[in-house]
Amino acid sequence: MVGAALKFPVISTGDILREAVRNQTPLGRQAQGYMESGALVPDSLVDAIVKDRLRREDCAAGFILDGYPRTIRQSESLEAAFPEGELETLVIGIVVVDDVLIRRIAGRRSCPKCGKVYSDSSLSGQGEMKCDECGTPLVQRKDDTAEVMKERLEVYHRQTRPLIDHYRKRGWYFEVDGGRSVSEVYSSILESVKSYRERKATGTN
Ligand code: AMP
C-alpha cells in the first residue's frame, strides 16, 4: 500500500526468503533452518540478495526495504553498495508492544501458494480461511508459533533494536505507533515521508 502510494517497489527480505524456501532453491535450503528457529539468516546471504535486487531498473528512482537492514552490519553493507552520499535514507520504525505483537502474530495467516498475508483483524468472523486471490486454504507461518515468536522477539531486541539509535543519531529515524488501526498507521507513515521530504527541501537536515 505504501509502496503504491510512493511509487517505489517494496523489497521484503522475508518474502524473498520464504519464496526461496517454497521453491527449495539453494538459497532457500540454506535459509530454512534459521527461519524456522526464529534466528536471523546470516548477513552475507541476505546482503547478497538485497544488493542483487537493488541493481534492477525499477529501483533506480528509489525503493522501500521491508525487514532489512536488521543488523548494524547489514546497514553498513547497504551503505557500501552506493557511492558516498548517494543513498538518501528515511527509516520508519513501526512500534508495537510485545504482547500486542504476539497476539496479532498468533492470529495471522498467509497463503502458501501466492504468499498473500491476512492479519488477525481481517480474518475475524470469517468461517473458512481461504485466499481471496487464489482460493488456497490459508496456513500459519511456521515461525509465527508462540515458541518461535519468543526467539524472534529476543533476536529483535538484541540484534535489530540497536539500529534505532544508529539511525536516530543521523536524523533519519521516524517512529510510528503501530498499536493503532491499519489505516491510521498507513497515514502516519505517509506523514513521516512528507515531513522528511519537507525537511530535505528546506535543507533542515
Ligand atoms: P520477516 O518476514 O521479515 O518477519 O522475516 C522472516 C524471517 O526471515 C526472519 O525471522 C529471518 O529468519 C529471515 N529474515 C528476513 N529478513 C532478514 C534479514 N534482513 N536478515 C536476516 N534474516 C532475515
Side-chain angles (χ1 to χ4, degrees), residues 13-14 17-18 35 39-41 46 67-68 70 74 141 152:
T13 43
L17 289 165
R18 273 184 293 280
M35 295 172 76
L40 291 183
V41 173
V46 186
Y68 182 94
R70 257 170 152 109
Q74 289 180 14
R141 262 169 56 172
R152 287 166 65 200

Side-chain angles (χ1 to χ4, degrees), residues 6-169:
L6 299 175
K7 300 191 173 64
F8 288 146
V10 179
I11 299 157
S12 154
T13 43
D15 283 351
I16 295 172
L17 289 165
R18 273 184 293 280
E19 195 185 337
V21 171
R22 264 200 305 279
N23 296 328
Q24 284 295 293
T25 65
L27 166 70
R29 283 199 295 270
Q30 286 184 80
Q32 189 164 12
Y34 297 103
M35 295 172 76
E36 287 177 3
S37 70
L40 291 183
V41 173
D43 289 336
S44 56
L45 283 181
V46 186
D47 290 340
I49 300 172
V50 172
K51 266 191 198 152
D52 192 50
R53 179 64 186 84
L54 297 184
R55 273 195 213 107
R56 290 193 0 212
E57 186 54 38
D58 64 341
C59 293
F63 48 85
I64 297 173
L65 290 169
D66 170 9
Y68 182 94
R70 257 170 152 109
T71 63
I72 297 281
R73 272 207 46 204
Q74 289 180 14
S75 73
E76 289 165 355
S77 162
L78 176 64
E79 277 170 48
F82 291 84
E84 176 96 38
E86 195 176 281
L87 183 66
E88 276 186 28
T89 309
L90 162 63
V91 178
I92 298 182
I94 304 173
V95 177
V96 180
V97 293
D98 286 0
D99 54 345
V100 173
L101 202 59
I102 289 167
R103 183 166 39 76
R104 284 185 181 174
I105 283 180
R108 174 166 74 174
R109 296 291 181 274
S110 59
C111 174
K113 194 166 167 209
C114 72
K116 186 169 174 188
V117 179
Y118 295 81
S119 67
D120 58 345
S121 56
S122 72
L123 287 170
S124 54
Q126 198 178 307
E128 52 172 3
M129 297 203 287
K130 285 191 175 170
C131 179
D132 55 19
E133 301 282 334
C134 65
T136 308
L138 302 182
V139 296
Q140 184 177 41
R141 262 169 56 172
K142 279 195 178 149
D143 60 348
D144 276 354
T145 57
E147 195 189 326
V148 181
M149 190 56 217
K150 194 167 163 267
E151 174 63 16
R152 287 166 65 200
L153 277 173
E154 272 173 31
V155 165
Y156 167 77
H157 289 292
R158 197 172 60 243
Q159 293 184 265
T160 304
R161 228 173 131 192
L163 280 169
I164 294 181
D165 257 359
H166 175 77
Y167 285 119
R168 210 195 296 268
K169 278 188 197 132

